[in-house]
Every structure is written in C-alpha cells, then in structure tokens.
C-alpha cells in the first residue's frame, strides 16, 4: 500500500495555499509552498489571519490534492501554518510530503501536542496560550513576536527551554514595527545570541 493509499480518506481544513518565498526566520528568501490550515484556539489579539480561527469555515482538502498542488512547483519546502496547525494530527500530511521528496516545515505556537515528522520546526510561543513544555525541545528556531518592551524578558524565558542549537529570533509585531524594530536592534547588540527576523514578504508585497 502506498502512502497516499494509506491516507486516502484524510482531509484537512485549508484556508489558503500558495507558492511564494519564505519571509521570516532562518529560511527567509527561499522558495516555499505554504499551506494554511484552519482552526486556532490561541486567539492572539494582533493576529493578522483571524479568519483562520474557525476550522469549519474552510473547505476540506485531501492530502493527495495537497501533494499534487505542491508538485506543480519546483520548490521542495512546504510550510504548514495556521491558524494553529498543532490542533490537527499532522502525521498523514508530513508522511505524504516526505514520500514525494519534500521538506516539511511547520510554524506553530506548539500549544497542542505536536504530531508529524518535521524537517524544521519554527516555534513561536504566544502569551494567550503557552506552548506545551514537551514541545520546546522540538524547536529548530524560536521566533518571538515583540509587541512591547516586556517581551524581551518573556523571550529569555523560552530561550532557556530550547535546545542549545536552536536559532533564536526576535521579530517586531507588524503594526508596531516602527517602534519595536529599533528596540530589537539595540537588544540584539547587547544579547548577540538573538537574530533579527523581519516579515520581508510584507515589505516586498508578496503572499
């Protein structure tokens, strides 16, 4: 039985999917196919995709269809995001994508048990619902959204919980970028274990 046949009945609520460049973090600037799953129980007040929160508001898509859409493009990175993707059982989609020769990346708050087989985990903790402690060691990069000055101390709390080789990023919340970016630059200069992440896709107006 092929991987596709094994998961032939598996579907996910998909808000949107598109081929673009990764705009943030370690893989910034690289071609990637994004799959944004519906469903989120975190509820960030500054979320820019609140329409993703209700899983029932989005059509279901089979893992076979997802794979076929990804294979229309030459890029080999597939980023699963949300919403909050950890709310779903992600073993089927990661297994199917791996069988197709893709790299599997996830962007998650890790507030639910993290399932699936991932090549890269971007963990972005949120104050509205904290990540599960058992998920912290899975992070390849820790991305802290800086909304105000108090977020630097909060960032250090999570930096102490990830594995030593985890990449550490501070990223200004988009609507407060003019105020927060200078503070982040100053903080990184004083604490050089951190790096700056910018939402470059928004600056160059791509998805």
């Amino acid at each position: 039985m092929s991987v596709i046949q094994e998961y032939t009945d598996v579907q996910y609520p998909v808000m949107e999917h598109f081929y673009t460049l990764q705009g943030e973090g370690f893989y910034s600037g690289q071609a990637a196919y994004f799959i944004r799953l519906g469903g989120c129980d975190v509820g960030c007040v500054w979320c820019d995709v609140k329409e993703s929160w209700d899983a029932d508001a989005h059509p279901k898509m089979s893992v076979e269809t997802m794979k076929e859409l990804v294979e229309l493009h030459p890029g080999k990175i597939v980023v699963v995001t949300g919403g909050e993707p950890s709310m779903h059982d992600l073993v089927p989609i990661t297994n199917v994508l791996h069988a197709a020769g893709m790299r599997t990346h996830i962007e998650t708050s890790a507030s639910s048990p993290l399932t699936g087989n991932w090549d890269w985990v971007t963990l972005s903790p949120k104050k509205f619902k904290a990540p599960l402690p058992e998920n912290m060691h899975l992070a390849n990069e820790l991305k802290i959204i800086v909304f105000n000055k108090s977020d630097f101390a909060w960032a250090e709390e999570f930096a102490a919980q990830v594995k030593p080789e985890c990449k550490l990023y501070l990223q200004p919340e988009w609507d407060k970028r003019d105020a927060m970016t200078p503070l982040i630059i100053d903080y990184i200069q004083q604490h050089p274990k951190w790096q700056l992440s910018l939402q470059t896709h928004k600056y160059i107006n791509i998805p």
Side-chain angles (χ1 to χ4, degrees), residues 2-113:
S2 70
V3 175
I4 284 292
Q5 290 173 325
E6 182 179 358
Y7 299 119
T8 185
D9 295 328
V10 177
Q11 297 182 324
Y12 295 94
V14 176
M15 174 187 160
E16 60 181 349
H17 53 91
F18 49 88
Y19 188 54
T20 185
L21 303 185
Q22 170 62 275
E24 307 173 5
F26 186 77
Y27 283 86
S28 180
Q30 296 197 32
Y33 199 96
F34 277 73
I35 299 174
R36 187 181 302 281
L37 300 182
C40 185
D41 60 356
V42 181
C44 302
V45 295
W46 39 258
C47 177
D48 55 3
V49 283
K50 291 181 179 178
E51 59 271 31
S52 70
W53 291 3
D54 182 3
D56 294 333
H58 304 290
K60 297 288 185 66
M61 183 181 293
S62 70
V63 290
E64 182 175 11
T65 297
M66 292 182 191
K67 179 187 79 72
E68 291 172 351
L69 289 168
V70 169
E71 289 179 327
L72 293 174
H73 306 278
K76 296 299 183 182
I77 295 174
V78 181
V79 182
V80 178
T81 185
E84 179 40 61
S86 67
M87 293 177 64
H88 303 280
D89 176 6
L90 300 169
V91 171
I93 185 60
T94 53
N95 284 359
V96 167
L97 291 173
H98 274 156
M102 303 297 170
R103 281 185 58 87
T104 57
H105 293 201
I106 187 171
E107 297 182 353
T108 176
S109 71
S111 56
S112 296

Side-chain angles (χ1 to χ4, degrees), residues 122-138:
T122 299
L123 198 160
S124 184
K126 304 298 189 296
K127 291 182 176 179
F128 311 97
K129 188 176 182 183
L132 298 178
E134 59 265 31
N135 287 335
M136 295 303 299
H137 76 283
L138 301 173

Side-chain angles (χ1 to χ4, degrees), residues 123-156:
L123 198 160
S124 184
K126 304 298 189 296
K127 291 182 176 179
F128 311 97
K129 188 176 182 183
L132 298 178
E134 59 265 31
N135 287 335
M136 295 303 299
H137 76 283
L138 301 173
N140 298 106
E141 68 178 7
L142 176 69
K143 183 176 67 182
I144 303 295
I145 307 302
V146 179
F147 187 76
N148 56 52
K149 291 169 64 175
S150 67
D151 289 334
F152 294 117
W154 189 71
E156 295 292 354

Side-chain angles (χ1 to χ4, degrees), residues 176-192:
K176 300 191 71 176
R177 62 192 182 279
D178 291 341
M180 292 298 108
T181 301
L183 299 181
I184 292 173
I185 292 171
D186 182 65
Y187 190 85
I188 293 173
Q189 289 175 330
Q190 301 303 316
H191 305 84

